[in-house]
Amino acid sequence: MQAARPTRRTALKTSVAFGGYLIAPEVSAADSTSANEQLNIACIGIGGRGAANVNGVKSQNLVALCDVDQQRAGKVFEQHNQAEKFADYRKMFDKLEKQIDAVVVSTPDHTHFHPSMAAMERGKHLYCEKPMAHSVGEVRQMTKMAVKQDVATQLGCQRHALANMHRSVELIQAGAIGDVSEVYSWVGGSRGMPSIPKTFPKVPETVDWDLWLGPAMPRPYDSTYCPYGWRFWWDFGTGETGNWGCHILDIPFWALGLKYPSRVEGSGPEVDDQRTPKQMATKMHFAEQGVDLHWDHASAGPAKLKELGIAGKGMNTLFIGSKGMLLTGFNKLRLLPEEKFADFKAPEPTIPKSPGFYKEWITACKGGEPATCDFRYSGPLAETVLLGNAAYRAGGGFDWDGPSLTASGNDAVQPFLKSEYRKGWEVAEV
């Protein structure tokens, strides 16, 4: 675990404009919060996955709930009627800034960045859903802001707390399969490429479509975008890779101490400008560790499984080492070849049991140790996931200098590394 987080935060020295609203240079949350004192939490995006996150932090004092879809959020609004209700997070901050200690952001991918940055700039602790943001550039800005403001953060990789994840990491780090040179991770299914709408219905009265679009370029409303299908449209989502990549690649990232790849390759079906693909493959080389990390979105899993005669049902990651292989997933694992490891004795556990993924963050907010998916760890993980998408969309690979956020060898990738915003949503870099 990292060192304990200081309980005192540095006052702000700059102001940043978000969507036409100016963020004042002031930290209004208390300098420290007793471990027994409840946090005042605001939740932005409370339908769907957001409802689960609200439930995860309901042990604290929910002072504000915010959602642009009043019908989808209706049940959660009713369950927590003590909290003030908002559609626009900017108005929420204008009214309640001094009452908020921490913020949970569970909006669609394209609207993670703006409320998250607004929260951290105000000195609020932040829990944000994966894949953290919509582009590599946004992720880096959020990671930098979290460090600058010394706020407690947690990326929504909830499976990080699972016991089987811990045991898998311990096996790799104990050298059970020797030196790891290759890792194959995957997600099945063929979701993507939704039908392009041809007619556009009236926007439901319960939805603020302009706020839902946020920084994205204007387009007519259709139910294929909102409330769920947004994840398969590049303007709003990051496809099945963004949806699952942070959960699954968390396993090799943690086990091998990965940070920034030095080379990224991407391939798959013909790129569609609007929609995410039904399948794709990426390969990321980490020069420091000498590891090739493969990511596949494919209904049949990676070809490597068939080549090795391995049944990967219920699994999502294969480590290949100099002394054997580890096939693992969220809930089970196997050392291979099984006959070689028949008498293998697992190492003593070294990773402490999580007190609960949300409790980790709540404890960190109150001055405890950083949560296990603090942005200093999960920022580079999220960046790598999004780099895979960038390589696929750019039609090929590129060399990557992580510290300087620079790609070389393929100019086509440049538009996919940073986000562009419509007028009124511009953001100054940290």
Side-chain angles (χ1 to χ4, degrees):
M1 298 291 287
Q2 300 172 32
R5 177 185 302 281
T7 57
R8 191 170 190 85
R9 294 196 295 276
T10 305
L12 302 185
K13 298 180 180 179
T14 59
S15 298
V16 179
F18 288 89
Y21 285 75
L22 184 68
I23 295 175
E26 175 186 359
V27 174
S28 56
D31 286 337
S32 63
T33 305
S34 165
N36 296 320
E37 186 179 347
Q38 285 193 323
L39 296 170
N40 289 335
I41 295 181
C43 296
I44 304 171
I46 63 172
R49 179 65 208 163
N53 288 337
V54 171
N55 190 58
V57 299
K58 68 180 182 181
S59 63
Q60 305 304 295
N61 184 31
L62 299 179
V63 296
L65 298 174
C66 183
D67 203 291
V68 301
D69 187 335
Q70 301 301 297
Q71 181 175 1
R72 186 168 168 82
K75 185 176 181 180
V76 179
F77 279 148
E78 292 173 4
Q79 289 172 339
H80 303 282
N81 55 20
Q82 82 286 356
E84 268 199 74
K85 283 68 175 178
F86 296 88
D88 191 332
Y89 73 87
R90 299 167 299 184
K91 294 181 179 179
M92 178 193 78
F93 280 132
D94 284 345
K95 184 175 182 180
L96 299 180
E97 176 178 350
K98 295 182 183 299
Q99 298 177 39
I100 297 170
D101 298 314
V103 176
V104 178
V105 173
S106 312
T107 59
D109 296 354
H110 75 293
T111 48
H112 282 187
F113 177 73
H114 286 76
S116 294
M117 289 290 281
M120 290 189 291
E121 179 72 10
R122 287 173 163 86
K124 314 304 180 186
H125 305 296
L126 177 68
Y127 182 107
C128 184
E129 262 306 321
K130 49 77 190 168
M132 196 161 162
H134 199 218
S135 68
V136 175
E138 286 186 340
V139 173
R140 182 63 61 88
Q141 288 294 299
M142 287 173 62
T143 304
K144 290 169 64 177
M145 181 63 80
V147 172
K148 177 184 176 183
Q149 297 300 93
D150 190 31
V151 291
T153 54
Q154 181 86 305
L155 185 67
C157 302
Q158 301 86 0
R159 291 165 178 83
H160 195 92
L162 293 176
N164 191 72
M165 291 269 286
H166 297 180
R167 305 294 83 82
S168 297
V169 171
E170 289 164 353
L171 285 170
I172 296 300
Q173 293 184 347
I177 63 169
D179 295 328
V180 175
S181 57
E182 282 192 292
V183 184
Y184 291 82
S185 293
W186 64 91
V187 64
S190 57
R191 300 199 303 172
M193 291 296 289
S195 298
I196 295 177
K198 296 179 180 178
T199 59
F200 298 94
K202 182 180 178 181
V203 180
E205 292 182 0
T206 56
V207 175
D208 189 322
W209 180 237
D210 188 66
L211 278 179
W212 189 94
L213 286 170
M217 299 304 167
R219 71 168 68 195
Y221 166 85
D222 190 81
S223 59
T224 192
Y225 312 129
C226 171
Y228 183 81
W230 53 266
R231 67 181 66 253
F232 306 116
W233 297 84
W234 290 123
D235 278 1
F236 312 127
T238 51
E240 205 71 308
T241 292
N243 190 31
W244 281 102
C246 288
H247 287 309
I248 296 172
L249 295 184
D250 182 20
I251 304 174
F253 250 75
W254 188 3
L256 297 170
L258 304 179
K259 191 170 185 181
Y260 300 125
S262 53
R263 177 77 185 173
V264 185
E265 305 278 353
S267 61
E270 183 178 356
V271 176
D272 185 272
D273 288 341
Q274 294 192 60
R275 299 165 293 175
T276 69
K278 290 179 176 290
Q279 61 181 33
M280 61 174 283
T282 60
K283 175 184 175 182
M284 292 155 284
H285 180 67
F286 292 81
E288 184 177 348
Q289 292 81 10
V291 171
D292 284 332
L293 173 59
H294 304 260
W295 165 261
D296 283 86
H297 167 208
S299 56
K304 190 70 173 181
L305 294 180
K306 186 175 181 180
E307 176 188 325
L308 296 173
I310 296 173
K313 186 176 181 180
M315 306 291 200
N316 57 41
T317 299
L318 175 68
F319 291 88
I320 299 178
S322 57
K323 298 179 181 178
M325 298 180 287
L326 172 65
L327 180 65
T328 189
F330 297 133
N331 297 304
K332 57 184 179 179
L333 60 83
R334 290 164 54 200
L335 287 165
L336 302 171
E338 291 181 330
E339 60 272 16
K340 179 177 178 178
F341 291 95
D343 299 320
F344 178 79
K345 184 178 179 181
E348 288 295 319
T350 56
I351 300 171
K353 180 180 179 181
S354 172
F357 197 71
Y358 296 99
K359 190 172 182 180
E360 288 180 12
W361 176 64
I362 290 167
T363 299
C365 292
K366 296 179 180 182
E369 290 187 341
T372 55
C373 286
D374 178 284
F375 288 177
R376 283 168 290 189
Y377 165 75
S378 57
L381 166 62
E383 286 184 23
T384 300
V385 169
L386 297 176
L387 284 170
N389 274 345
Y392 164 71
R393 297 179 75 185
F398 53 89
D399 295 320
W400 182 246
D401 185 322
S404 68
L405 213 68
T406 303
S408 58
N410 184 355
D411 291 341
V413 77
Q414 299 302 330
F416 307 121
L417 298 176
K418 294 187 177 182
S419 299
E420 292 187 7
Y421 311 120
R422 61 171 166 149
K423 188 176 181 181
W425 291 87
E426 301 88 350
V427 179
E429 289 197 6
V430 179

